[in-house]
Amino acid sequence: RTRMLDSAHNFALGFFRYPLEGQYQQEIMIGAKGINNTLAPYRFCPNNDIPNIGYRGAPLTDAWNAVYLRDTVPRLQRYVDGFELDVRDVYAMQELCAYETVALGYSKSCELFTEKGGKALIIRKKPLLYSLHAADLNQICLSGPE
């Protein structure tokens, strides 16, 4: 556990630079099955580990990622030597752009992506953000979909 805390602290030092005061606050949360954690709510949900319930949208979102990132992967691959990018890598890069923007107010890495790609990411997130109400999520988590 100490190693994880030290790793997070060292990451923050590398990301924000010394001194960390006023730039970074580390929050320690438990990420274990059955414990409610807003950063990892899937660990609280007993149905999460049942593939056709907990991950039922994954095939559709993976398919959409493959469509909207189809041209982005080879475009970015031209700048990378020694590592072959795939759709998951590029999707993670796009997600990191958003996190870095929230943390720092701006992300140079966002320039790697087009406005069209950003809109496609929003389309990918909309079903997750807008189509399920809290009551629906609670039903799926505790009982599974009807």
Side-chain angles (χ1 to χ4, degrees):
R1 293 180 184 138
T2 300
R3 183 178 56 83
M4 290 188 295
L5 295 174
D6 289 346
S7 293
H9 186 255
N10 288 329
F11 172 82
L13 282 169
F15 192 78
F16 295 105
R17 306 278 186 247
Y18 182 82
L20 289 175
E21 289 79 20
Q23 298 187 78
Y24 171 76
Q25 293 180 353
Q26 184 168 309
E27 184 169 347
I28 310 305
M29 300 177 85
I30 298 170
K33 193 168 186 77
I35 295 180
N36 195 8
N37 173 338
T38 56
L39 296 176
Y42 49 86
R43 300 306 301 151
F44 179 69
C45 180
N47 284 326
N48 180 71
D49 296 328
I50 302 170
N52 64 339
I53 297 174
Y55 297 94
R56 67 185 186 183
L60 296 173
T61 55
D62 289 346
W64 175 242
N65 288 353
V67 168
Y68 91 86
L69 293 171
R70 174 182 42 233
D71 298 330
T72 308
V73 173
R75 180 174 58 80
L76 295 180
Q77 184 65 57
R78 293 181 299 183
Y79 305 105
V80 178
D81 291 324
F83 182 79
E84 187 171 335
L85 294 173
D86 63 20
V87 169
R88 286 182 182 213
D89 297 322
V90 174
Y91 173 70
M93 291 166 66
Q94 194 175 30
E95 288 271 281
L96 186 59
C97 157
Y99 287 115
E100 193 174 38
T101 300
V102 169
L104 302 175
Y106 173 75
S107 172
K108 184 83 171 151
S109 64
C110 292
E111 294 176 14
L112 296 171
F113 300 98
T114 64
E115 183 177 349
K116 181 180 176 184
K119 289 178 180 177
L121 177 65
I122 291 168
I123 290 169
R124 183 207 191 274
K125 297 286 187 184
K126 273 192 178 184
L128 177 65
L129 297 173
Y130 301 115
S131 68
L132 294 173
H133 299 286
D136 296 329
L137 288 172
N138 190 48
Q139 169 69 26
I140 290 167
C141 181
L142 300 177
S143 307
E146 295 179 352

